[in-house]
């Protein structure tokens, strides 16, 4: 049953006509034949699939799962309020390319308040030729710099598999296509009549839900929060935390 449910989820993420239904205990599937060319809408909206939008969506998905508030466009770190040993605390969170000093300069690895901890979260997909090994090497080079080590740790994920990264990119395109109703009607779906535009929006909203569910499951694996499956993440990376101070992880 689990294998069938996973296959249905994968189909639903690729074909908007397929809908997951039911519950975990009693799952089901529905086929909705609408006769609308949603792929042409996605092709028109594919301009939204760029590194900036990929990172913004990744940050939003991480914020939803971890519980911090993502401030898109704001400089500096985001903050996560948490309870630690019975007291309220604040953890600073920065999302970026750890291995790239142009993206995250050395000063980004220090909290704004020396009494706080900062968590630097790397990206779970390739931007260039770098991967988890290079992220870890950057942290080790920072650890060897003179002076006191700041209270900072890196969260280094495994990279998404090629299939899941394509799902993520499709989600970026669909999410931004649906974000602005006027732009959807006048740009991405302008070649459709009014009824078909409405059907296309409904189909894409369903596909966005399926893709979001699938991508979040893959992200949990990438960041070491769930058992890794080779269909979802690249194998071989298991050391997800690299602290700058000498603390056990």
């Amino acid at each position: 049953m689990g294998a069938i449910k996973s296959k249905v989820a994968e189909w639903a993420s690729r074909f908007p006509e397929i809908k997951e239904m039911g519950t975990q205990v009693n799952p089901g599937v529905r086929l909705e034949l609408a006769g609308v060319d949603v792929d042409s809408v996605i092709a028109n909206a594919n301009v939204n699939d760029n590194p900036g939008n990929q990172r913004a969506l990744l940050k939003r998905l991480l914020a939803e799962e971890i519980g911090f508030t993502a401030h898109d466009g704001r400089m500096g770190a985001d903050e996560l309020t948490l309870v630690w040993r019975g007291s309220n605390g604040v953890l600073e969170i920065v999302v970026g390319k750890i291995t790239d000093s142009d993206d995250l300069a050395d000063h980004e690895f220090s909290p704004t308040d020396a009494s706080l901890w900062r968590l630097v979260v790397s990206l779970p997909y390739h931007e260039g030729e770098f991967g988890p090994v290079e992220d870890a090497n950057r942290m080790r080079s920072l650890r060897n710099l003179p002076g006191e080590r700041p209270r900072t740790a890196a969260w280094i994920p495994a990279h998404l598999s090629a299939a899941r990264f394509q799902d993520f990119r499709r989600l970026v395109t669909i999410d931004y296509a649906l974000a602005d109703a006027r732009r959807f009607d006048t740009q991405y779906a302008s070649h459709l009549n009014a009824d078909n535009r409405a059907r296309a929006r409904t189909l894409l909203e369903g596909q966005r839900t399926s893709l979001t569910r699938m991508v979040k499951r893959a992200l949990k694996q990438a960041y070491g929060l769930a058992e890794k499956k080779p269909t979802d993440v690249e194998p071989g990376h298991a050391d997800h935390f690299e602290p700058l101070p000498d603390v056990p992880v």
Side-chain angles (χ1 to χ4, degrees):
M1 179 64 72
I4 295 174
K5 190 175 185 302
S6 296
K7 181 57 69 175
V8 169
E10 185 173 350
W11 288 340
S13 71
R14 286 169 168 73
F15 306 105
E17 296 84 2
I18 296 176
K19 306 287 186 182
E20 291 183 86
M21 299 179 62
T23 64
Q24 290 285 345
V25 177
N26 187 27
V29 61
R30 183 178 83 237
L31 183 62
E32 182 177 315
L33 299 179
V36 179
D37 183 12
V38 295
D39 284 340
S40 64
V41 179
I42 292 174
N44 289 340
N46 200 49
V47 65
N48 293 297
D49 178 27
N50 57 63
N53 287 343
Q54 289 172 11
R55 187 181 304 198
L57 180 60
L58 171 68
K59 187 176 179 181
R60 195 177 82 215
L61 296 177
L62 292 175
E64 291 172 1
E65 294 301 296
I66 298 172
F68 68 92
T69 300
H71 302 288
D72 291 335
R74 193 192 75 173
M75 298 297 291
D78 297 301
E79 295 181 350
L80 171 65
T81 302
L82 70 166
V83 177
W84 175 253
R85 295 179 177 176
S87 300
N88 290 329
V90 174
L91 176 68
E92 295 184 351
I93 296 180
V94 172
V95 178
K97 293 185 286 185
I98 287 177
T99 193
D100 187 352
S101 59
D102 291 330
D103 188 59
L104 290 176
D106 287 357
H107 67 82
E108 296 280 3
F109 292 84
S110 296
T112 55
D113 183 333
S115 67
L116 301 179
W117 274 87
R118 171 168 287 200
L119 182 65
V120 183
V121 184
S122 196
L123 309 182
Y125 48 81
H126 295 279
E127 281 194 347
E129 300 177 357
F130 302 114
V133 171
E134 287 75 21
D135 284 343
N137 289 340
R138 174 86 190 279
M139 294 301 294
R140 290 165 189 150
S141 68
L142 291 169
R143 194 180 299 135
N144 291 329
L145 292 176
E148 186 177 354
R149 297 172 185 171
R151 303 175 74 181
T152 298
W155 195 356
I156 302 174
H159 281 183
L160 299 176
S161 67
R164 289 297 87 79
F165 184 47
Q166 287 304 312
D167 289 337
F168 174 70
R169 294 181 63 182
R170 187 176 180 90
L171 178 58
V172 171
T173 297
I174 293 173
D175 189 68
Y176 279 88
L178 294 172
D180 187 321
R182 181 178 178 277
R183 184 171 294 175
F184 183 88
D185 289 341
T186 61
Q187 293 187 25
Y188 310 135
S190 61
H191 59 291
L192 303 177
N193 62 42
D195 287 343
N196 282 344
R197 283 200 298 270
R199 293 190 186 99
R201 172 176 282 278
T202 298
L203 288 170
L204 289 174
E205 286 172 347
Q207 190 173 30
R208 176 172 62 180
T209 298
S210 297
L211 281 168
T212 299
R213 190 181 299 120
M214 176 170 283
V215 168
K216 282 186 174 182
R217 282 199 296 263
L219 289 176
K220 286 182 179 179
Q221 297 175 44
Y223 286 95
L225 301 177
E227 182 182 355
K228 294 181 175 65
K229 299 178 181 178
T231 54
D232 294 326
V233 297
E234 295 180 357
H237 178 65
D239 297 327
H240 292 284
F241 286 96
E242 284 281 350
L244 291 183
D246 293 321
V247 295
V249 294

